[in-house]
Amino acid sequence: AYEVPEGWSEKAGSMMRDLNFTFGANGEGECYIARLPGAGGGLSANVNRWRSQMGAQPLSDEEVNALPTRPLFGQPARFITVDGTFSPGMGSNQTFPNYRLIGLILASDAGAVFVKMTGPKELVEQNSAAFDQFVSSLGVNAN
């Protein structure tokens, strides 16, 4: 269960994305939720994968464990924010300069949940409250 923030458009999910949204005048901003079984490769590996997509240097395990937390499904999830040139990968050679990535990673043995937002830095800044609203609205529907 979730609430779609004003100005966001819901897109079809995919094999890797349970929920998928775009925002911005041309849909250049993106936010999605993905789930993986188990710890999803581990917290440090995922934080550093996201950082590498932004051209940032990896963090040590100690630095990753010192990242701030925010609640996600009532559990503390690591909050990541990084600016740089976004390279989405997945077969794309495109790069997007002056982008920002913000996200939450909740990794446990029961599974991993990722909430990731990317877009032009200014657009992501304008939608950070919408990101918080969306994350706060997430719940598990028992139906």
Side-chain angles (χ1 to χ4, degrees):
Y2 55 93
E3 295 173 16
V4 180
E6 188 175 327
W8 288 22
S9 298
E10 190 164 359
K11 302 294 181 194
S14 68
M15 188 169 71
M16 295 296 292
R17 297 180 179 189
D18 295 305
L19 297 173
N20 199 22
F21 304 92
T22 59
F23 55 93
N26 301 307
E28 61 273 33
E30 213 175 34
C31 185
Y32 71 85
I33 295 181
R35 294 175 296 154
L36 292 173
L43 179 62
S44 290
N46 283 295
V47 166
N48 286 321
R49 180 174 49 82
W50 285 4
R51 288 181 59 79
S52 73
Q53 288 177 332
M54 299 299 291
Q57 293 297 310
L59 298 177
S60 68
D61 288 344
E62 294 78 20
E63 290 169 316
V64 168
N65 289 328
L67 289 170
T69 61
R70 291 191 181 177
L72 179 60
F73 294 110
Q75 309 255 343
R78 294 292 172 192
F79 178 71
I80 295 95
T81 182
V82 61
D83 296 338
T85 297
F86 181 50
S87 301
M90 302 297 237
S92 171
N93 291 330
Q94 282 189 292
T95 59
F96 302 90
N98 200 29
Y99 259 49
R100 174 169 285 173
L101 178 155
I102 61 173
L104 291 168
I105 297 177
L106 177 59
S108 72
D109 291 338
V113 180
F114 307 89
V115 183
K116 180 179 176 184
M117 175 189 273
T118 57
K121 183 178 176 180
E122 187 174 298
L123 181 63
V124 170
E125 285 174 354
Q126 293 166 359
N127 279 272
S128 64
F131 177 86
D132 293 341
Q133 171 201 343
F134 172 68
V135 168
S136 296
S137 79
L138 288 170
V140 178
N141 190 340
N143 294 339

